[in-house]
Amino acid sequence: MSEKNTPIGHPMQRLRRLRQSEALRSMVADTVLNKSDLICPVFVTEINTERTPIASLPGVERIPLAELAAEAKRIQELGLKSVLLFPVVDAAKKTTDGREAFNPNGILQQAIRTVRAAAPELIVFADVALDPFTSHGHDGVLSTDGQILNDPTVAALMKMSVTLAEAGVHFVAPSDMMDGRIAAIREQLDKSHFENVGILAYSAKYASAFYGPFREAVGSGARGLDKKTYQLNYANVREALLEAQYDEDEGADMLMVKPGLCYLDILCRIRQQSHKPLVMYHVSGEYAMLKAAVEKDWLDEKPAVYETLLSMKRAGADLIVTYYAQWAAAHLFL
Ligand code: PBG
């Protein structure tokens, strides 16, 4: 910098010029958040006949099948484009191998049919994993000596995916982290003439402490359930890049990173290696933290939620799964 430009009050670069008004700031913004970026998770229950609250997810409810059509219409009317369905299964139907997952008339399959009929514009994603259907809460088939068996689990997920496709799902979303499941599911769907049903792969799903409220919501196991033999170690980056690459090579249409805020660096790195749409899952524990602080009046909800979701777009996400979807659609895009 030359002498001439250094006197106080005469900086050479005045970046603040472009921050002077809301209009100008929005014109030079790198990143935008749209309603269509948000995927709305929905818990569908076969246990209750009424909507039931989830203590650790304030504002989110388990929806009985009889209420699901109305819920789907509401979501569509809010201007959201998609839902991600999760089942809440009767404990009497849970087994060590989770076979209820591929019952063609199971709660998840019925939920897909209901949403497709009630809200034809909505894009329907369904989670593919065994944990809502297993007595132990693990995402896979458990052997008698306590191992999660990879290939028998993949076989179950293939069957499950076909029943979801038969019910009319647009995308299956395998969240189990078994090896080779994307290729196996793709092949099985194609063989069954569901070549237009897509796969959203939970590619980099970490063994996180932030899934607690979700497990309460679906009743899938005790706090501290250890999934470290299949979910990623959060010390690792390169392993996530490999998972994402393999899922892409195996035929995934979209790749997901999960959880959100603690993993923005992972999403950013995958963005550099992949041209597929990327999804970030703003998980239950992250939602719960925000809600708890808002309830205590320690945070201002609108700006805190906006900043959180926008940061995921900035890191490179095209889409965000968030329990805030309905609230955001109603409050953030006025
Ligand atoms: C299970 C599954 C989990 C979530 C989505 N699918 C929980 C887990 O792996 O134990 C968590 C989502 C959330 O916390 O919001 N297949």
Side-chain angles (χ1 to χ4, degrees), residues 129 131 139 175 205 211 214-215 227 231 258 281 284 323:
D131 55 303
D139 293 35
S175 67
K205 176 175 179 179
Y211 305 149
F214 174 95
R215 292 182 192 167
K227 299 191 174 184
Q231 298 179 350
K258 175 184 176 182
Y281 200 139
S284 60
Y323 300 96

Side-chain angles (χ1 to χ4, degrees), residues 41 43 57 84 86 127-132 137 139 174-176 202 205-206 210-215 218 220 225 227 230-231 258 281-285 323:
F43 295 108
L57 287 176
L84 172 55
F86 293 99
D127 197 76
V128 172
L130 298 182
D131 55 303
D139 293 35
S175 67
D176 55 290
Y202 287 69
K205 176 175 179 179
Y206 283 87
F210 292 95
Y211 305 149
F214 174 95
R215 292 182 192 167
V218 303
S220 64
L225 188 66
K227 299 191 174 184
Y230 45 105
Q231 298 179 350
K258 175 184 176 182
Y281 200 139
H282 179 227
V283 301
S284 60
Y323 300 96

Side-chain angles (χ1 to χ4, degrees), residues 17-37:
R17 233 177 250 133
L18 299 181
R19 298 179 198 148
Q20 290 181 90
S21 68
E22 186 52 44
L24 199 48
R25 288 191 293 272
S26 71
M27 287 168 72
V28 298
D30 292 2
T31 310
V32 280
L33 181 68
N34 304 300
K35 263 192 214 182
S36 55
D37 301 332

Side-chain angles (χ1 to χ4, degrees), residues 178-187 199 243-252:
M178 296 300 120
D179 288 320
R181 90 272 209 224
I182 302 301
I185 290 171
R186 183 69 272 156
E187 197 184 327
I199 302 178
E243 288 282 6
Q245 188 62 58
Y246 294 162
D247 285 355
E248 186 169 344
D249 294 347
E250 289 178 31

Side-chain angles (χ1 to χ4, degrees), residues 2-292:
S2 74
E3 281 275 280
K4 217 171 94 203
N5 289 315
T6 48
I8 292 168
H10 297 279
M12 192 167 64
Q13 293 288 356
R14 289 189 184 271
L15 292 175
R16 291 185 57 200
R17 233 177 250 133
L18 299 181
R19 298 179 198 148
Q20 290 181 90
S21 68
E22 186 52 44
L24 199 48
R25 288 191 293 272
S26 71
M27 287 168 72
V28 298
D30 292 2
T31 310
V32 280
L33 181 68
N34 304 300
K35 263 192 214 182
S36 55
D37 301 332
L38 307 178
I39 300 177
C40 181
V42 179
F43 295 108
V44 187
T45 180
E46 64 178 353
I47 298 174
N48 300 291
T49 52
E50 277 161 27
R51 299 170 69 108
T52 53
I54 301 154
S56 53
L57 287 176
V60 180
E61 292 174 314
R62 301 179 192 88
I63 313 293
L65 205 53
E67 299 281 329
L68 185 61
E71 179 76 0
K73 283 185 192 137
R74 203 175 98 85
I75 291 169
Q76 186 173 273
E77 276 157 24
L78 279 167
L80 294 167
K81 306 287 181 208
S82 61
V83 290
L84 172 55
L85 301 175
F86 293 99
V88 182
V89 178
D90 185 350
K93 295 184 186 166
K94 299 191 183 190
T95 54
T96 51
D97 63 1
R99 63 184 56 218
E100 174 66 12
F102 42 87
N103 172 358
N105 278 319
I107 180 69
L108 188 54
Q109 290 79 358
Q110 290 187 61
I112 293 165
R113 287 191 198 101
T114 304
V115 174
R116 288 299 310 273
E121 308 288 307
L122 282 182
I123 303 298
V124 181
F125 295 78
D127 197 76
V128 172
L130 298 182
D131 55 303
F133 309 95
T134 55
S135 43
H136 41 77
H138 278 293
D139 293 35
V141 177
L142 188 66
S143 73
T144 43
D145 63 348
Q147 311 277 327
I148 302 299
L149 300 172
N150 195 88
D151 298 4
T153 301
V154 171
L157 300 179
M158 289 160 70
K159 282 198 222 171
M160 180 182 181
S161 297
V162 171
T163 65
L164 302 179
E166 283 165 352
V169 83
H170 294 104
F171 288 87
V172 292
S175 67
D176 55 290
M177 294 305 287
M178 296 300 120
D179 288 320
R181 90 272 209 224
I182 302 301
I185 290 171
R186 183 69 272 156
E187 197 184 327
Q188 188 64 39
L189 287 172
D190 288 354
K191 256 195 221 155
S192 314
H193 305 292
F194 291 114
E195 57 282 333
N196 287 327
V197 171
I199 302 178
L200 162 60
Y202 287 69
S203 294
K205 176 175 179 179
Y206 283 87
S208 169
F210 292 95
Y211 305 149
F214 174 95
R215 292 182 192 167
E216 184 204 328
V218 303
S220 64
R223 190 169 281 199
L225 188 66
D226 185 345
K227 299 191 174 184
K228 292 193 179 111
T229 70
Y230 45 105
Q231 298 179 350
L232 285 172
N233 178 355
Y234 49 71
N236 293 352
V237 179
R238 297 193 307 260
E239 199 179 356
L241 302 181
L242 287 172
E243 288 282 6
Q245 188 62 58
Y246 294 162
D247 285 355
E248 186 169 344
D249 294 347
E250 289 178 31
D253 299 281
M254 305 184 192
L255 309 173
M256 182 141 76
V257 173
K258 175 184 176 182
L261 284 189
C262 295
Y263 299 86
L264 294 178
D265 58 327
I266 307 296
L267 190 93
C268 194
R269 292 286 299 273
I270 295 177
R271 179 75 293 163
Q272 290 160 13
Q273 82 175 23
S274 177
H275 296 142
K276 294 286 181 181
L278 299 185
V279 186
M280 177 148 261
Y281 200 139
H282 179 227
V283 301
S284 60
E286 301 179 83
Y287 172 89
M289 287 197 298
L290 273 171
K291 276 286 175 195

